[in-house]
């Protein structure tokens, strides 16, 4: 969650200017709100916990049915379209609009919002070469103690 330690105060400025988006929130999978905005008054404690619970429920249901855990979900209910996207293993972005707003519009809005989040530095990639992996021709293989390096011809 290092990427979200400093969410810019104007993080939702773009969706605030979009008349088709009604609510937006960035939250942890446990329901803790990291940033939120809505056109109307909202009980963030309730909405965030329910959003996190819904994602967990949908993931469990789909995995039980043999599907992979989705990275993004779109749910239409009660005249609203909810677009939920996993951002990191423990974070979600939720956008809410009227049912008539296309899913593609919310996906694009999510993409633009998430492009503003500074990337967390990724840990160095560790590659282990096993005995069955052959080095490219002309590359010296590291020697073991007491051995002379060998060149792969």
């Amino acid at each position: 969650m290092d990427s979200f330690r400093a969410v810019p105060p104007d993080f939702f400025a773009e969706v605030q200017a979009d008349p088709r988006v009604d609510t937006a929130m960035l939250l942890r999978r446990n329901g803790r709100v990291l940033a939120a905005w809505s056109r109307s008054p909202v009980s963030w404690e309730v909405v965030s916990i329910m959003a996190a619970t819904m994602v967990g429920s949908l993931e469990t249901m789909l995995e039980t049915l043999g599907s992979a855990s989705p990275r993004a979900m779109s749910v239409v209910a009660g005249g609203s379209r909810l677009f939920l996207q996993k951002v990191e293993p423990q974070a979600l972005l939720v956008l809410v609009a009227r049912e008539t707003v296309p899913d593609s519009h919310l996906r694009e809005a999510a993409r633009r919002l998430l492009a503003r989040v500074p990337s967390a530095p990724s840990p160095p990639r560790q590659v282990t070469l096993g005995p069955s992996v052959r080095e490219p021709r002309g590359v010296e293989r590291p020697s073991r103690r007491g051995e002379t390096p060998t060149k792969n011809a």
Side-chain angles (χ1 to χ4, degrees):
M1 289 302 296
D2 290 338
S3 304
F4 299 114
R5 285 198 178 163
V7 176
D10 64 342
F11 183 70
F12 291 123
E14 187 173 324
V15 292
Q16 287 175 340
D18 183 345
R20 296 191 279 180
V21 178
D22 297 325
T23 301
M25 64 184 147
L26 185 62
L27 57 118
R28 290 187 186 225
R29 295 289 302 262
N30 65 5
R32 182 173 168 254
V33 176
L34 299 170
W37 165 84
S38 182
R39 293 193 190 286
S40 57
V42 172
S43 173
W44 293 113
E45 287 179 2
V46 173
V47 172
S48 64
I49 293 294
M50 291 299 104
T53 302
M54 180 177 66
V55 168
S57 297
L58 288 171
E59 281 181 324
T60 301
M61 184 178 80
L62 291 169
E63 289 171 357
T64 301
L65 294 170
S67 297
S69 177
R71 180 127 176 90
M73 300 169 221
S74 183
V75 176
V76 175
S80 293
R81 179 179 305 278
L82 289 78
F83 178 77
L84 305 101
Q85 181 172 336
K86 290 185 210 175
V87 180
E88 290 183 349
Q90 294 300 314
L92 298 168
L93 175 67
V94 179
L95 299 177
V96 181
R98 289 176 304 283
E99 180 179 359
T100 56
V101 175
D103 185 58
S104 59
H105 181 76
L106 295 179
R107 284 181 188 277
E108 180 59 24
R111 186 194 64 73
R112 287 191 310 268
L113 280 171
L114 295 175
R116 299 187 62 214
V117 176
S119 297
S122 54
R125 186 174 164 203
Q126 182 175 350
V127 178
T128 304
L129 297 177
S132 64
V133 176
R134 183 179 165 140
E135 291 83 11
R137 292 184 180 271
V139 174
E140 283 192 6
R141 188 176 52 187
S143 64
R144 294 185 188 142
R145 286 189 186 167
E147 289 182 5
T148 307
T150 58
K151 197 167 205 169
N152 193 4

